[in-house]
Amino acid sequence: QSALTQPASVSGSPGQSITISCTGTSSDVGAYKYVTWYQHHAGKAPKLIIYDVSYRPSGVSNRFSGSKSGNTASLTISRLQAEDEADYYCTSYTSSYTYVFGSGTKVNVL
Amino acid sequence: QVQLVQSGAEVKEPGTSVKISCKASGYIFSNYHIHWVRQAPGQGLEWMGIIKARTGITIYIQKLQGRVTMTRDTSTSTGYMELSSLRSDDTAMYFCLRELPDTYYFDSWGQGTLVTVSS
């Protein structure tokens, strides 16, 4: 099972919006609504920010939003803030009853 | 509050085994699946496998089958992940995670356990 494809890095200035893509296959991202996004600050445990493609857990800022089209899911961060600088990972359930993570995207706030 | 507390860092020689524990608190342990994920230095996250909540059924990623064993002790609310025949590329931070069955996401993570494989 190959990792889902994410851009290595995405940059933006405070207040801007950025979008991170997550491309899989018809056996994972394209097959299920079970796409999840995690925010990972170095040295800390990853934090769930989006589940089921577009749902935010309680307490997560509404600046984070998710969507999916075909085999590609996307995470958009609006009104970018310095605290958003972190690594972001998507993950998807697969037709093999397993899970696959994305390759990870480093978000840089300029 | 929900906590997953993992055992401490390990240094192992190639060819040996490591067993990491993940003690849960703040919720009913047997009601949640436990997953294990690892992150090698400078690399992304890799899902390793799951031990399911009520049945204890395990599913492992194909590349680790034969070397990984996930178990649990419901009496102590502790999950375990044992990896054998260690190689240098098993050097990684290992995380345990929980999932409420049929939600397909991980809502709580352990703090991580660093395993270093070196001669």
Side-chain angles (χ1 to χ4, degrees), chain A:
Chain A
Q1 179 82 52
S2 299
L4 306 176
T5 301
Q6 297 181 231
S9 65
V10 174
S11 299
S13 299
Q16 288 186 328
S17 293
I18 61 170
T19 296
I20 302 168
S21 60
C22 169
T23 301
T25 69
S26 58
S27 297
D28 39 64
V29 175
Y32 301 98
K33 68 174 184 176
Y34 306 123
V35 176
T36 310
W37 289 89
Y38 298 91
Q39 178 191 61
H40 188 196
H41 287 104
K44 302 178 76 171
K47 175 186 175 184
L48 173 69
I49 55 173
I50 294 287
Y51 67 95
D52 289 359
V53 174
S54 61
Y55 290 84
R56 280 187 311 276
S58 174
V60 172
S61 172
N62 60 9
R63 298 185 299 104
F64 294 94
S65 61
S67 63
K68 190 184 83 164
S69 177
N71 296 338
T72 298
S74 298
L75 172 72
T76 297
I77 309 175
S78 304
R79 305 185 299 282
L80 199 63
Q81 298 180 0
E83 67 201 46
D84 299 331
E85 190 160 284
D87 293 327
Y88 291 82
Y89 292 91
C90 60
T91 189
S92 174
Y93 185 64
T94 82
S95 59
S96 301
Y97 310 104
T98 62
Y99 292 76
V100 60
F101 277 91
S103 47
T105 297
K106 182 171 181 56
V107 168
N108 298 299
V109 181
L110 304 172

Side-chain angles (χ1 to χ4, degrees), chain A residues 1 34 36 38 40 43-48 51-52 87 89 91 93 96-104, chain B residues 35 37 39 43-47 50 52 59-62 95 97 99 102-107 109-111:
Chain A
Q1 179 82 52
Y34 306 123
T36 310
Y38 298 91
H40 188 196
K44 302 178 76 171
K47 175 186 175 184
L48 173 69
Y51 67 95
D52 289 359
D87 293 327
Y89 292 91
T91 189
Y93 185 64
S96 301
Y97 310 104
T98 62
Y99 292 76
V100 60
F101 277 91
S103 47
Chain B
H35 297 253
V37 164
Q39 183 174 34
Q43 303 297 309
L45 298 168
E46 179 180 46
W47 184 83
I50 178 178
K52 295 204 169 186
I59 300 173
Y60 306 132
I61 194 171
Q62 187 171 10
F95 296 94
L97 303 62
E99 175 209 346
D102 300 327
T103 58
Y104 303 94
Y105 60 83
F106 319 127
D107 66 352
W109 294 57
Q111 85 276 19

